[in-house]
Amino acid sequence: MNAEEILQLLHAVDKKNVSPESALERLKHMPFEDIGFAKVDHHRALRQGYAEVIFGKGKTPAQAAQIAKAMLSKKGSRHNVLITRADAKMFAAVKRVARGAKFHPLSGVVTIERSLEITGKGTIAVVSAGTSDIPVAEEAVLTARMMGNRVTELFDVGVAGIHRLLEHRRELTEARVIICAAGMEGALPSVVGGLVGVPVIAVPTSTGYGASFGGAAALLGMLNSCASNVTVVNIDNGFGAACVASCINRL
Amino acid sequence: MNAEEILQLLHAVDKKNVSPESALERLKHMPFEDIGFAKVDHHRALRQGYAEVIFGKGKTPAQAAQIAKAMLSKKGSRHNVLITRADAKMFAAVKRVARGAKFHPLSGVVTIERSLEITGKGTIAVVSAGTSDIPVAEEAVLTARMMGNRVTELFDVGVAGIHRLLEHRRELTEARVIICAAGMEGALPSVVGGLVGVPVIAVPTSTGYGASFGGAAALLGMLNSCASNVTVVNIDNGFGAACVASCINRL
Amino acid sequence: MNAEEILQLLHAVDKKNVSPESALERLKHMPFEDIGFAKVDHHRALRQGYAEVIFGKGKTPAQAAQIAKAMLSKKGSRHNVLITRADAKMFAAVKRVARGAKFHPLSGVVTIERSLEITGKGTIAVVSAGTSDIPVAEEAVLTARMMGNRVTELFDVGVAGIHRLLEHRRELTEARVIICAAGMEGALPSVVGGLVGVPVIAVPTSTGYGASFGGAAALLGMLNSCASNVTVVNIDNGFGAACVASCINRL
Amino acid sequence: MNAEEILQLLHAVDKKNVSPESALERLKHMPFEDIGFAKVDHHRALRQGYAEVIFGKGKTPAQAAQIAKAMLSKKGSRHNVLITRADAKMFAAVKRVARGAKFHPLSGVVTIERSLEITGKGTIAVVSAGTSDIPVAEEAVLTARMMGNRVTELFDVGVAGIHRLLEHRRELTEARVIICAAGMEGALPSVVGGLVGVPVIAVPTSTGYGASFGGAAALLGMLNSCASNVTVVNIDNGFGAACVASCINRL
Amino acid sequence: MNAEEILQLLHAVDKKNVSPESALERLKHMPFEDIGFAKVDHHRALRQGYAEVIFGKGKTPAQAAQIAKAMLSKKGSRHNVLITRADAKMFAAVKRVARGAKFHPLSGVVTIERSLEITGKGTIAVVSAGTSDIPVAEEAVLTARMMGNRVTELFDVGVAGIHRLLEHRRELTEARVIICAAGMEGALPSVVGGLVGVPVIAVPTSTGYGASFGGAAALLGMLNSCASNVTVVNIDNGFGAACVASCINRL
Amino acid sequence: MNAEEILQLLHAVDKKNVSPESALERLKHMPFEDIGFAKVDHHRALRQGYAEVIFGKGKTPAQAAQIAKAMLSKKGSRHNVLITRADAKMFAAVKRVARGAKFHPLSGVVTIERSLEITGKGTIAVVSAGTSDIPVAEEAVLTARMMGNRVTELFDVGVAGIHRLLEHRRELTEARVIICAAGMEGALPSVVGGLVGVPVIAVPTSTGYGASFGGAAALLGMLNSCASNVTVVNIDNGFGAACVASCINRL
Amino acid sequence: MNAEEILQLLHAVDKKNVSPESALERLKHMPFEDIGFAKVDHHRALRQGYAEVIFGKGKTPAQAAQIAKAMLSKKGSRHNVLITRADAKMFAAVKRVARGAKFHPLSGVVTIERSLEITGKGTIAVVSAGTSDIPVAEEAVLTARMMGNRVTELFDVGVAGIHRLLEHRRELTEARVIICAAGMEGALPSVVGGLVGVPVIAVPTSTGYGASFGGAAALLGMLNSCASNVTVVNIDNGFGAACVASCINRL
Amino acid sequence: MNAEEILQLLHAVDKKNVSPESALERLKHMPFEDIGFAKVDHHRALRQGYAEVIFGKGKTPAQAAQIAKAMLSKKGSRHNVLITRADAKMFAAVKRVARGAKFHPLSGVVTIERSLEITGKGTIAVVSAGTSDIPVAEEAVLTARMMGNRVTELFDVGVAGIHRLLEHRRELTEARVIICAAGMEGALPSVVGGLVGVPVIAVPTSTGYGASFGGAAALLGMLNSCASNVTVVNIDNGFGAACVASCINRL
């Protein structure tokens, strides 16, 4: 029951076709969302308003293709479509229903670009520490782009060669939001956070071995960052970092 | 050596008082920051540009008072002063050097307000789950206020009585950034994140006992949030959450 | 805005005092709970319908006494009042406002009994492994009693002297729900679960030292119970176990 | 030695064929269970009285089929048979000995339905947060059904889109017991627990990645639930949750 | 109901005073232990047969003294009495009821020696790594002595000065069982285990700081010992190690 | 330099061919072991004196076979040969060099029996909780047998059906040492320890899923056992448990 | 902009072609490193000055071969090339571009030796505890050799057979730095550290099973070493240990 | 039996007072160390050769003073004396026996300087990240000085203000060994390691709160350092870091 239906009901009361008491009864039992009193689902809006997203992991290629097809045929929508955690097989299936689909094997992302509109106000810089952090960084880059943001990539600027990072201070200071993907000791966001005055979203990666404990070392490092403009998302969650960055960049 | 000194040096070259070669030598050995080529320390700016901050923990009352005094006597500055993790003794000492100081015993924060200027563009909502999360939430509220932000408080709106949160949907949707402090299962940021389209900064609190493991349960819950606009700071870090929120609110 | 007010509004529409359109506007903005469509807060009912509960930890004696006083003066209510995690000082303060208050120092529980009505259908057996588990077990016993249940206590029947437990098989099989408090290896619920056909609520206790890791060993043991009628609550959460048991016992 | 044999022995004493002393000796050494004094194994009854269960993991298809065959040929029993953690190969083997067997690939459950009798008094609602929690939720649904319960399914009602859950409040409030399967932050049981007055069995799932640490994040979240009618079972233990729910539903 | 009572019952059957059927009924309902069919409680025997033990932690001085008094006045028993985890206050209270009580402040053990009988067949060597492990080692030494064993002490023979250990090879090879208390890296049992052919009971101690994590480092080290004659007890459990060693030494 | 060489040196001194001073010099620099003063390596003796052992994991089938061949051709030795953590391929390779080799696929153990001599004084009982603990229990059984012990197997006697264990009390009380393999909650050793007066070696198994955390739950449970005759070895270390049990059984 | 360019700029000022003010502007914006003021990247020097290193893990054989080829064709360089974490396929690809490449399958290291120069001042001893630690030890040995050090190997000298280690005291005392690779309890570095006066670099290995938790047990053991000349690197990081040892050996 | 006694024995052989055979027998049974064949205890030498060290924690003031007195009165020794983990009371006691003792309250170190000799070849730089790391850094500084090293202090140069560190590059590059104390994210050693070519000893500190988990976050960060010249010691182990640094500096 949406606002229109409620209005109809109220008109029926107005016209004495329905008694106030039975109107109350109907109001009492109407499903929550349908009444349309409030736009509850900002979350869905957040994702779907700017890009349609499919989380590929755990889905069969056929399922992913079917969902993509449904998204593409939705009327009036020209949103970009993004499939994360996909593989070559899933891409092949998607390719059959979306000729323009592209596969990014490093990050396992499939993109179907339909809109080039830039909705983010500034630039999002995606910084990564080592070559093995690139898959996560790329997931962030592609997600941010598909959501309508300008993105600058600064890869392989880990803290053990600090000059590499310092060379790019200009790109850092020009960004409106920064995403920092780093594994191992996860020190990069602290250094970057100290160099800029904008929000830094830290993404620990599961890079490394031994005492990296699947990214836990980097995660803890980032949570304990001594830079006060750093927040953290889940290990390997390049997609989530880009969602938040995009959300900040539209403010 | 700052920009002015470099200019002097260049003028000396211009006036033939110094040869280019010896100017190069002097440039080569000047300390990095002093050359003032770039404003490296955005971090300090971030904190001190909007509020002077003293981390009280581990300092003696006398030390804190002395630092506060120095901050207050800095010429040309009218910034607010904030002391976090203070106690009544520290407050007593600070009170002696700053008559206008106020103590907030729940959060252990001392505030010395000198500027009422609002620099944040929108409102920061600080939401907390239970009464025992209030100390952390209050630290966030006071920090955000001292940094020049409008703040809305929504306390005691935990997820086990979901209607309490839903009653305040208006305040949530009107905020430009939301800080969510919650202990125990740390579920609040996910629910809040689903209700709004703005960034949500989650602060796990060390509330609880047993399997809360000092806030680790809430921390993990928040890192795994199914809402994609949630990022996380360290356990009990209300100050840090407010720094980031303030930083976003000035964008 | 409750059901009555909505009815008033609908009558106003019926009487042409309010147009359907402006009625819709008012409906759109009414706070959620006040509309009274549904009794959302079953949770509060659960606790307050049968006993008024104060979580003493983190409250001052004065605060606890004040809340207790308010509960006792609520009109039309004769519910028992329960204060958990209290100490002697808090009890002294409560005693002043509630002469009938009793203190149970082992568990730190204060009880103010006002109703002897039994609302639970069967008996709840509270079983504990060692003497050091008794504080938690007693919290469960008192909570269950204050919520209107018959309770049987079987203390000090740990698994290393299995005959002690087997001697009490009759009490176990006669219970409708069983609460099992155990620290150290947390094996008791598995053995008890194997002896009965009713639900067993396992409460790990923080008893022990070294590799008990504050009750984590017992918690893990209980979660891995090989008996399929065992569920688990938080470490030392005797109160919670009794809430669930009471909730089951009223079915 | 069962009751009958003991009676024979006592008759022999009565008839002077056996002296009291040697009767005592025989009694002393008889195996415990065989004396039949008490029905110790309620546990087995719990499972087998209502459904025959095979834990498929770690068994070969042939073994599972053989056990299923034995169960099906047991005289006088018409119980349903349930195989958990099975795969397609195991199903194929079982299918050969039980034509009516059905395979549920999402949850890896094989069901052989022989009885449609409903023994549970009310309805068990099985609620799950995301699509990736469905395998665990389905295991719970099928187990509960095979044990003679009416089951309502509410899938994909995670807390980040809270309206989805609120729409189904009726189904929730009509249930006698609720099973809640959720991974990631494990917040669903707290919200559900706050909406109802009946027991909620929380099942953490190993859904997620990174800091979900194989379901540990959800597990900790659930153990710290701020709703007092929530208990927890092991990660991914949909079967166990259904056993307990069924056990409560028969009370 | 003990063996004698059962015999009486059987005689009553024999004398026709009781019918076999009603005898069966009485047998069916007798409590388990009382029938005396089997000596179930070897555990109690284990402890009390050789020494009476009071676990002091969590008991008041008065309680400990009262229990000790009861033990000392038990007829026909001349067992030694041992109180572990005691302090000076508890000792003072015990001293009043047991003049011969001795306090060992390092380990917090009170001993009341009443029997000098040696029941262990060989010698138990108690080896400790550093001076800070001595409290745990002393608890083991005193427990083993009070349980009737000859004990050799080899303290401060940590692995970083391996010659100190090697100097005592004779004492090691002459022992029938060895207890090894070590904190920090917990390496001692592996080295000792490699030098002897008898069982080595390893006791991790909570010595150390930082990454010793309260003895967890030593515990893990011992569980991973490359010597195949090493078993492990809980952190700081000198008492338990001595119980097992004593149990082996009586074989 | 062995004893013979030292004797030669001493004779040289005796015959004045070498001065005492230069003899001292030579003695000072001789390598430790070669002097043969003491048989340090009891460890090797422990394993090899009673059975030759090959740890199969990480070795190729060819390597295992080669080592086995070498062991079998050692002169004067008729010890049994044991290969743990082997698979069918390794067995096939070993079979070629040792016709009498037998493979035990559940535990992955290969045995080559050459001696039937019983050197253990009593019986070792190997008790296991569930069917999935049998691989570890079997490794213990076979190791103990190959090392010359009489072994009783009591499998599938988990604590959730306590009567199954109690039926076998006789076998338990007749054993000289007991090995207890259990996964999940690891409660079995505590119950068994309470029933007997002999040492119980607890072996946690990696059975289970979710919060069993690869056997850590069982391990912690066992370390916290409330029975004082229980010691613990590493997860899945059936071999080690049998080594210790064998070592105790030879005392 | 390097030193030369700055000099040009200064000459331009000197020649009045550029005003001091605009020179300042240009200086302000020049990228950091290009000014060549300092050789920041000692790190790269550290690795590449003595050996070219490729971390094979995560690279395709083709990529590794391509990088190796580039390294080999760099003019004026005769450094050794080292590929760690390689496999047979990667070796095959590298072999095609570097005929002299050798593969070390145990450690997965490929070496291309081009220089035999010894740059380390003393000998590095690489000591390992068990045969399963050899892969890590070999990685250390090969890395150290390729970096120009003399290396002594002491393998299989674990602490459970302490004499094996003591036999090699001479090699230990003759080394200038010692690398100690050990899994399981990680006790070796403590014993070795006690025998020598030089730095000992401890490398925990992921050897073992169960409570070794992937090398965490060894890691913790080493961090808690009671020998004060021991430092630790990451689990399985033989390469890193050799880098540090080589770095010390060149001092 | 020391070298002299062995010589006596050899002379006795020489003089035919003792036969070679019985000399061999006596040699066989002499205790290991007393023969003085080898200087086993390098470890003791390491500490005592350069400074006498007392670990104050767990000792009474009287005990510490007594040990210090003994050290000071040892003939022929002029070593510095160092007491770590001391407090004001312990210092007062030590002061009475050593007038020249100095107390360093930040680090809890007492120093008794008797020798100003510099035995280290280069300078040790001690770098710390934040003010709260200074206690650990100071322990390292004082230990290194008392062991005869030149020490440079670079405090409060954390990575979030990277320019502070870069300003001191000269001091860093001039050091022969660097000690890096850092809490929180523990990123400093990676950055420092990248700037220099000498060994960096990283000391995690227990600074911080929440997810710093007592220094574990910093520890893990350092173990995962991407700089290959970094090794790690235990949390807060400034003493140990200085021991190793000193040991390297004497090479």
Side-chain angles (χ1 to χ4, degrees), chain B residues 121-145:
Chain B
K121 297 191 178 159
T123 300
I124 296 174
V126 178
V127 187
S128 73
T131 49
S132 46
D133 301 321
I134 292 179
V136 176
E138 194 184 84
E139 186 183 281
V141 165
L142 293 167
T143 301
R145 285 208 177 116

Side-chain angles (χ1 to χ4, degrees), chain C residues 160 185, chain E residues 43 46 201-202 231-234 237 240-241 243-245 247, chain F residues 178 180 186-196 198-203 219 221-233:
Chain C
E185 75 269 65
Chain E
H43 178 60
L46 176 67
I201 321 283
T231 57
V232 187
V233 297
N234 195 3
N237 193 5
C243 284
V244 174
C247 163
Chain F
I178 296 177
C180 244
L188 188 58
S190 294
V191 178
V192 168
L195 293 173
V196 302
V198 296
V200 175
I201 322 282
V203 196
L219 171 62
M222 290 167 176
L223 285 167
N224 285 284
S225 175
C226 48
S228 63
N229 48 346
V230 172
T231 56
V232 187
V233 297

Side-chain angles (χ1 to χ4, degrees), chain E residues 43 134 138 150 166 221 240:
Chain E
H43 178 60
I134 292 180
E138 192 185 85
R150 267 182 219 91
L166 296 178

Side-chain angles (χ1 to χ4, degrees), chain E residues 158-231:
Chain E
V159 299
I162 198 72
H163 66 288
R164 294 179 296 182
L165 183 66
L166 296 178
E167 278 171 27
H168 296 287
R169 216 154 35 197
R170 184 169 304 188
E171 287 94 324
L172 291 176
T173 50
E174 283 172 7
R176 199 160 184 254
V177 196
I178 296 176
I179 292 170
C180 244
M184 304 189 80
E185 75 269 65
L188 189 58
S190 294
V191 178
V192 168
L195 293 175
V196 302
V198 297
V200 175
I201 321 283
V203 196
T205 70
S206 55
T207 300
Y209 58 87
S212 88
F213 295 123
L219 170 62
L220 291 178
M222 290 168 175
L223 285 167
N224 284 285
S225 175
C226 48
S228 63
N229 48 347
V230 172
T231 57

Side-chain angles (χ1 to χ4, degrees), chain H residues 108-171:
Chain H
V109 166
V110 175
T111 50
I112 310 174
E113 199 164 9
R114 301 197 292 168
S115 156
L116 297 169
E117 192 191 357
I118 294 297
T119 54
K121 296 191 180 159
T123 300
I124 296 174
V126 177
V127 187
S128 74
T131 49
S132 46
D133 302 321
I134 292 179
V136 175
E138 193 184 85
E139 186 182 281
V141 165
L142 293 168
T143 301
R145 285 210 177 115
M146 296 311 269
M147 287 183 169
N149 298 283
R150 265 182 220 92
V151 178
T152 311
E153 294 177 20
L154 295 177
F155 288 0
D156 204 12
V157 292
V159 298
I162 197 73
H163 66 288
R164 294 179 294 182
L165 183 65
L166 296 178
E167 278 172 25
H168 295 287
R169 217 154 33 197
R170 184 169 304 187
E171 287 95 324

